[in-house]
Amino acid sequence: MRWQNRRLSDNVEDRRGGGGGGMKTIGIGGGIGGVIILVLALLFNQDPQQALQSIQQNSGGAQQTEAGTVTDSSDEISRFASTVLADTEDVWEQLFAQMNKKYKDPGMVLYTDYDQSGCGAAQSAMGPFYCPADEKVYLDLTFFNEMEQRFKVAGDFAMAYVIAHEVGHHVQNLLGTSSKVQAMRSRISEKEYNKLSVKLELQADFFAGVWAHHAQKMQNILEPGDIEEALNAASAVGDDALQKAASGHVVPDAFTHGTSAQRMRWFKKGFETGDVKQGDTFSANDL
């Protein structure tokens, strides 16, 4: 991916080296983080909510540290994340203007081990996630090492896909999609809500593809193999692949993010079309 020497986002807080204050109830705003919790729960034969509670209990308190900013002199990985976020800002500002809407940039918090989000605890074991309460993406950059070591997914564009997916959840939040899905939680069964969750996640994958489509047009960011890196990442975090790796069998009713094939399909559709209107996963007859 061509990313060097380009604009850095002004919306990145570098809190690495310290953590946030006391713990609250953990809330994951969708995304890759939910997949990681599922993997951990399956590996230890534990209910996902129990895994969340365990993280909360073991994180403990921490002293609040002052956030820094990512600059041209910062380390390469933080500059990369900041550049990708800046690219998403440019793309979605343009696309929202075409929809006669105003785009509000999300924030991004880089942290180490644990921190505090508007949704509660942020812990590295959760993986990257978006918190709709404070409209920020939370990211422990060591997750990308985990991607390579545990999921055998490498490449800078695979990392860009993860960030773009979480920003996709921010887009859903601005459009009101996330709140509509959340409002259904107490009205339907867990099985039916899981189906809505899958559609929400696949749409975020689609939005990541839309970002890649327009970022290529605007900045010529792609190098040979980049899209394959993103597709490999999407495949690696499919519910079926993760469940099979963790427990040896697949439980479709427990899917919350979509299969590997579905995740690749919707990212690819977003990249090929670049058309936000074609990402209505909720009305699709076949995911």
Side-chain angles (χ1 to χ4, degrees), residues 119-139:
C119 298
Q123 214 269 1
S124 59
M126 296 164 63
F129 69 94
Y130 171 72
C131 173
D134 58 17
E135 299 183 339
K136 294 178 181 179
V137 173
Y138 286 81
L139 175 61

Side-chain angles (χ1 to χ4, degrees), residues 59-239:
S59 293
Q63 297 297 315
Q64 184 72 34
T65 58
E66 185 176 349
T69 57
V70 175
T71 68
D72 290 334
S73 61
S74 298
D75 58 297
E76 185 172 273
I77 186 64
S78 66
R79 286 189 286 109
F80 172 80
S82 184
T83 301
V84 173
L85 185 64
D87 281 351
T88 67
E89 293 165 356
D90 294 340
V91 167
W92 286 109
E93 181 178 355
Q94 182 183 91
L95 293 178
F96 266 57
Q98 293 173 6
M99 294 185 285
N100 295 317
K101 299 179 182 292
K102 183 173 178 58
Y103 183 67
K104 180 181 180 182
D105 295 338
M108 176 184 285
V109 176
L110 307 180
Y111 69 98
T112 303
D113 294 332
Y114 47 84
D115 203 275
Q116 186 74 14
S117 78
C119 298
Q123 214 269 1
S124 59
M126 296 164 63
F129 69 94
Y130 171 72
C131 173
D134 58 17
E135 299 183 339
K136 294 178 181 179
V137 173
Y138 286 81
L139 175 61
D140 184 334
L141 293 169
T142 60
F143 172 76
F144 295 131
N145 295 330
E146 188 80 359
M147 280 179 59
E148 184 171 359
Q149 294 167 10
R150 178 173 293 182
F151 302 115
K152 310 304 179 186
V153 173
D156 51 11
F157 204 73
M159 296 187 291
Y161 154 76
V162 170
I163 295 172
H165 173 97
E166 299 306 335
V167 173
H169 284 302
H170 177 64
V171 172
Q172 292 171 323
N173 188 38
L174 295 180
L175 295 176
T177 308
S178 302
S179 59
K180 290 179 182 178
V181 171
Q182 184 63 31
M184 295 296 295
R185 188 161 212 151
S186 61
R187 305 177 189 174
I188 57 179
S189 67
E190 181 180 358
K191 178 180 177 180
E192 290 303 311
Y193 185 79
N194 285 347
K195 292 180 180 179
L196 288 180
S197 177
V198 166
K199 294 178 179 181
L200 195 70
E201 296 298 330
L202 294 179
Q203 188 179 67
D205 283 331
F206 174 83
F207 285 158
V210 169
W211 162 74
H213 173 100
H214 291 281
Q216 171 64 7
K217 283 188 173 181
M218 295 168 67
Q219 297 284 357
N220 190 31
I221 65 171
L222 295 177
E223 295 178 311
D226 278 348
I227 295 301
E228 287 75 14
E229 289 177 4
L231 291 172
N232 286 340
S235 176
V237 293
D239 283 323

Side-chain angles (χ1 to χ4, degrees), residues 8 26 30 37 49 76-77 118 165 170 183 255 263:
L8 301 176
I26 298 173
I37 290 295
Q49 183 61 38
E76 185 172 273
I77 186 64
H165 173 97
H170 177 64
F255 287 175
R263 301 199 72 164

